[in-house]
Amino acid sequence: MSDDTYALTAASQQTVAAWHRALPAADAVALTGLLTEDVLFHSPAVQSPIQGREATLLVMLAVAEVLENIRYRRTFVGGPCEAALEFSAEIGKLPVKGIDLMRLDPDGKILEFEVMMRPLRSLSAVADAVGSRVAPKMLQLKLKPG
């Protein structure tokens, strides 16, 4: 077992602090500024990752809309540009517990974002609610030239 310890870079610390404010508030402008153009998003509800800022932002804003009382509890640091953010929330009367895994670039922008969520019943409710909000727009993004 390694006894290495890490601290986030100053830029990564600023991003994590901004994230804690921006996601619960569904602040699209702030969230956009935290993501790289080619961010890779791993959802707990779909097999393939979602690529790009526009599609990732679409999903994140839908999640912020359907989850109630989002509270970040603890932050775990895996390296100077890697953090795991533990959160809790509700969807209706169902409790949600999860982890947001972030990999950041040297400027503190989010390169890769992965969500893990439990329990299964809550994840299913979130997936259904988010899916119904983003499916038509996601299809438009996929069909968009360029």
Side-chain angles (χ1 to χ4, degrees):
M1 180 182 213
S2 173
D3 62 355
D4 293 338
T5 58
Y6 299 99
L8 289 172
T9 64
S12 295
Q13 288 176 33
Q14 290 173 355
T15 296
V16 168
W19 178 266
H20 285 154
R21 293 185 302 271
L23 186 75
D27 184 339
V29 173
L31 289 170
T32 299
L34 299 177
L35 304 172
T36 61
E37 184 66 36
D38 60 347
V39 63
L40 192 61
F41 176 73
H42 302 274
S43 165
V46 297
Q47 180 75 27
S48 299
I50 296 167
Q51 180 84 39
R53 181 186 293 146
E54 193 173 356
T56 297
L57 185 62
L58 178 66
V59 174
M60 288 179 172
L61 290 173
V63 168
E65 186 179 309
V66 302
L67 288 183
E68 303 157 16
N69 303 314
I70 301 170
R71 297 166 308 281
Y72 282 93
R73 302 290 186 191
R74 297 182 287 176
T75 299
F76 302 91
V77 177
C81 296
E82 297 177 333
L85 313 178
E86 178 189 11
F87 68 90
S88 61
E90 292 87 34
I91 181 161
K93 294 184 180 188
L94 297 173
V96 176
K97 185 88 166 176
I99 298 284
D100 292 335
L101 300 173
M102 290 182 179
R103 190 169 58 85
L104 305 111
D105 71 10
D107 295 324
K109 302 282 186 188
I110 299 170
L111 286 167
E112 191 169 3
F113 192 88
E114 183 170 0
V115 180
M116 295 182 210
M117 198 178 295
R118 61 177 282 284
L120 181 57
R121 186 170 176 199
S122 300
L123 170 58
S124 294
V126 172
D128 289 346
V130 170
S132 67
R133 284 170 172 76
V134 305
K137 294 174 187 171
M138 198 64 80
L139 181 60
Q140 288 175 346
L141 287 176
K142 287 181 181 183
L143 298 175
K144 189 176 177 181

